[in-house]
């Protein structure tokens, strides 16, 4: 948000709305555009019509006299009444133009005069509002976010968004983030403004962000909604498929003006996942129980990106059909499913060893307890490829042994 009086009280002149982020009525901006367009047309008319005002290629009613204008791909509008060069304070007043005879005498102007229709067409296009188009993206809850320009002051309220922004070269635009946003190393140095449960609204307001990136749910969502109600732009992010991860990377590129970098990262991610699917996706399927937490037992359904990783590795999620994304399940339900593979957290968590007391399970009997690094598997980011590759390789070793 702007930190000047104009931003809160309104624009003092039409051009303020272009040069600064202040609240100008829409009709003021339209008036500014029309003034600029008409002034350009008047100036160009003097440049290539001469003192008589007669344009050999455009009659007074605005119709072309020959086919030359059709080659431009633009329609020249009728000649406007040229505005006075003196006006009220705050109006757009173009400088007084030199006489056309003097312009024609300048050596530099002679080649320009030979390109008169093209020159006029280009300037008309450059003054068109379409070239000032807003940035429009639709987030993961279906809301369309509109920014007048790429974001420069971002507060990232979800760890995966922080990591993605660094991945596309936009980490320098992040003012603050939340707890557990710890990758890459540079992210650890960012100020913290809360966590999944609550946010420090005062700290966020003091930063005057022009973009907030938030999660779809969580205890802090009510606070996010309050910030949105105050007028802060909010992009809600919760990618759950490979396509959605790729799309989010590209959207972050649009929102930050780092589109080329974002496209490169998204293309690489798509290619890497494709290679894994080609290598492992058609191998003998293995039934898998993916354990997110041990007490109580928490797993994931088939709509989550981690379950999509299992599919890429040739695995079948035994709880894919449950309605909740992260459902709690009973020990009896796992025993009943009797999976061939059980995936748990890292070895120092002790989660894998807990299953040894149930030797009747195929995963235990075949020593198919796979330990993973949640830092590389539990975030929908390009780094997911690293965790997915390790999991695919581990599952393939199970196939080879049994």
């Amino acid at each position: 948000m702007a930190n000047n009086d104009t931003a809160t009280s309104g624009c003092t002149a039409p051009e303020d709305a272009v040069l600064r982020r202040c609240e100008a009525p829409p009709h003021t901006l339209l008036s500014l555009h029309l003034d600029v367009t008409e002034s350009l047309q008047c100036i160009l008319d003097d440049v290539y019509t001469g003192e008589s005002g007669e344009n050999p290629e455009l009659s007074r009613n605005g119709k072309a006299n020959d086919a030359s204008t059709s080659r431009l791909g633009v329609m020249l509008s009728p000649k406007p009444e040229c505005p006075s060069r003196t006006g009220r304070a705050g109006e757009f007043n173009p400088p007084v133009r030199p006489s056309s005879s003097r312009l024609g005498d300048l050596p530099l102007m002679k080649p320009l005069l030979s390109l008169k229709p093209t020159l006029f067409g280009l300037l008309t296009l450059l003054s068109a509002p379409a070239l000032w188009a807003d940035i429009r993206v639709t987030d993961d809850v279906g809301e369309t976010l509109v920014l007048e320009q790429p974001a420069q002051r971002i507060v990232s309220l979800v760890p995966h968004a922080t990591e993605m922004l660094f991945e596309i070269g936009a980490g320098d635009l992040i003012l603050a983030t939340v707890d557990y946003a710890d990758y890459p190393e540079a992210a650890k140095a960012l100020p913290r403004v809360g966590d999944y449960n609550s946010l420090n609204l005062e700290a966020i307001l003091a930063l005057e962000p022009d973009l907030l990136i938030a999660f779809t749910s969580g205890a802090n969502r009510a606070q996010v909604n309050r910030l949105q109600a105050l007028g802060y732009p909010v992009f809600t992010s919760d990618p759950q498929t490979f396509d959605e991860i790729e799309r989010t990377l590209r959207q972050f590129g649009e929102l930050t003006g780092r589109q080329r970098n974002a496209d490169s990262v998204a293309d690489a991610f798509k290619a890497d996942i494709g290679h894994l699917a080609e290598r492992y996706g058609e191998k003998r399927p293995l039934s898998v129980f993916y354990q997110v937490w041990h007490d109580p037992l928490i797993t994931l359904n088939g709509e989550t990106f981690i379950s999509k990783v299992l599919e890429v590795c040739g695995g079948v999620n035994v709880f894919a059909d449950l309605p909740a994304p992260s459902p709690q399940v009973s020990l009896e339900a796992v025993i009943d499913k009797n999976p061939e593979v059980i995936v748990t957290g890292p070895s120092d968590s002790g989660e894998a060893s807990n299953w040894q007391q149930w030797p009747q399970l195929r995963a235990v009997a075949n020593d198919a307890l796979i330990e993973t690094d949640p830092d590389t598997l539990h975030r929908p980011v390009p780094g997911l490829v690293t965790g997915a590759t390790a999991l695919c390789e581990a599952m393939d070793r199970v196939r080879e042994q049994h």
Side-chain angles (χ1 to χ4, degrees), residues 117-133:
T118 304
L119 183 60
F120 180 80
L122 287 175
L123 286 177
T124 301
L125 288 174
L126 287 173
S127 67
L131 296 182
W132 301 344

Side-chain angles (χ1 to χ4, degrees), residues 365-383:
N366 295 328
D367 195 24
L369 301 175
I370 298 177
E371 298 168 342
T372 62
D373 180 3
D375 286 344
T376 62
L377 265 179
H378 287 189
R379 287 182 191 167
V381 295

Side-chain angles (χ1 to χ4, degrees), residues 295-332:
D295 187 19
L297 277 176
I298 303 294
T299 188
L300 297 165
N301 75 359
E303 300 302 316
T304 57
F305 66 88
I306 294 178
S307 189
K308 306 303 180 185
V309 170
L310 294 179
E311 294 175 12
V312 163
C313 297
V316 178
N317 182 354
V318 296
F319 290 110
D321 59 346
L322 294 181
S326 304
Q328 179 179 335
V329 296
S330 66
L331 175 61
E332 291 75 18

Side-chain angles (χ1 to χ4, degrees), residues 97-174:
R97 59 185 186 255
S99 67
S100 55
S101 59
R102 290 180 181 272
L103 284 171
D105 291 338
L106 293 175
L108 182 62
M109 293 304 297
K110 293 183 184 296
L112 290 179
L113 293 174
S114 67
L115 298 175
K116 44 197 171 187
T118 304
L119 183 60
F120 180 80
L122 287 175
L123 286 177
T124 301
L125 288 174
L126 287 173
S127 67
L131 296 182
W132 301 344
D134 294 331
I135 300 169
R136 292 176 178 269
V137 294
T138 301
D139 66 16
D140 289 337
V141 293
E143 293 185 358
T144 299
L145 174 65
V146 180
L147 297 182
E148 296 177 357
Q149 61 186 5
Q152 299 295 309
R153 302 177 60 81
I154 301 173
V155 172
S156 172
L157 303 177
V158 276
H160 78 257
T162 301
E163 186 169 337
M164 279 187 169
L165 289 170
F166 274 100
E167 286 279 357
I168 66 171
D172 59 308
L173 304 179
I174 306 175

Side-chain angles (χ1 to χ4, degrees), residues 68-287:
S68 62
T69 56
S70 64
R71 293 192 297 271
L72 298 177
V74 296
M75 269 301 240
L76 300 181
S77 59
K79 179 179 178 181
E81 291 297 326
C82 294
S84 169
R85 295 313 186 259
T86 59
R88 298 186 300 276
E91 288 185 339
F92 179 80
N93 299 311
V96 177
R97 59 185 186 255
S99 67
S100 55
S101 59
R102 290 180 181 272
L103 284 171
D105 291 338
L106 293 175
L108 182 62
M109 293 304 297
K110 293 183 184 296
L112 290 179
L113 293 174
S114 67
L115 298 175
K116 44 197 171 187
T118 304
L119 183 60
F120 180 80
L122 287 175
L123 286 177
T124 301
L125 288 174
L126 287 173
S127 67
L131 296 182
W132 301 344
D134 294 331
I135 300 169
R136 292 176 178 269
V137 294
T138 301
D139 66 16
D140 289 337
V141 293
E143 293 185 358
T144 299
L145 174 65
V146 180
L147 297 182
E148 296 177 357
Q149 61 186 5
Q152 299 295 309
R153 302 177 60 81
I154 301 173
V155 172
S156 172
L157 303 177
V158 276
H160 78 257
T162 301
E163 186 169 337
M164 279 187 169
L165 289 170
F166 274 100
E167 286 279 357
I168 66 171
D172 59 308
L173 304 179
I174 306 175
L175 302 178
T177 187
V178 290
D179 292 348
Y180 302 108
D182 54 4
Y183 190 86
E185 191 67 25
K188 296 179 180 179
L190 290 171
R192 308 287 143 159
V193 290
D195 55 27
Y196 182 80
N197 294 312
S198 65
L199 302 174
N200 185 336
L201 294 185
E202 184 177 353
I204 294 173
L205 292 172
L207 292 171
E208 298 185 341
D210 56 11
L211 176 62
L212 299 167
I213 303 178
F215 195 56
T216 53
S217 61
N220 66 23
R221 186 65 209 191
Q223 293 176 296
V224 172
N225 293 340
R226 288 176 60 190
L227 291 168
Q228 192 170 22
L230 289 173
Y232 290 90
V234 174
F235 182 90
T236 301
S237 178
D238 184 21
Q240 288 297 327
T241 67
F242 300 135
D243 287 345
E244 289 175 358
I245 294 172
E246 178 192 341
R247 183 189 69 203
T248 300
L249 286 166
R250 300 187 195 279
Q251 288 178 321
F252 284 179
E254 292 181 63
L255 292 171
T256 60
R258 309 289 167 89
Q259 188 69 63
R260 181 176 298 180
N261 289 347
D263 286 344
S264 178
V265 174
D267 290 343
F269 173 76
K270 181 178 181 179
D272 290 341
I273 290 296
H275 293 153
L276 286 177
E278 290 175 5
R279 182 174 180 181
Y280 298 104
E282 298 301 322
K283 292 197 174 186
R284 177 171 65 87
L286 294 173
S287 59

Side-chain angles (χ1 to χ4, degrees), residues 6-7 9-18 20-29:
T6 307
S9 61
C11 300
T12 59
E15 52 266 42
D16 287 340
V18 176
R20 299 196 298 273
R21 291 177 59 85
C22 52
E23 298 296 332
H27 68 270
T28 305
L29 294 179

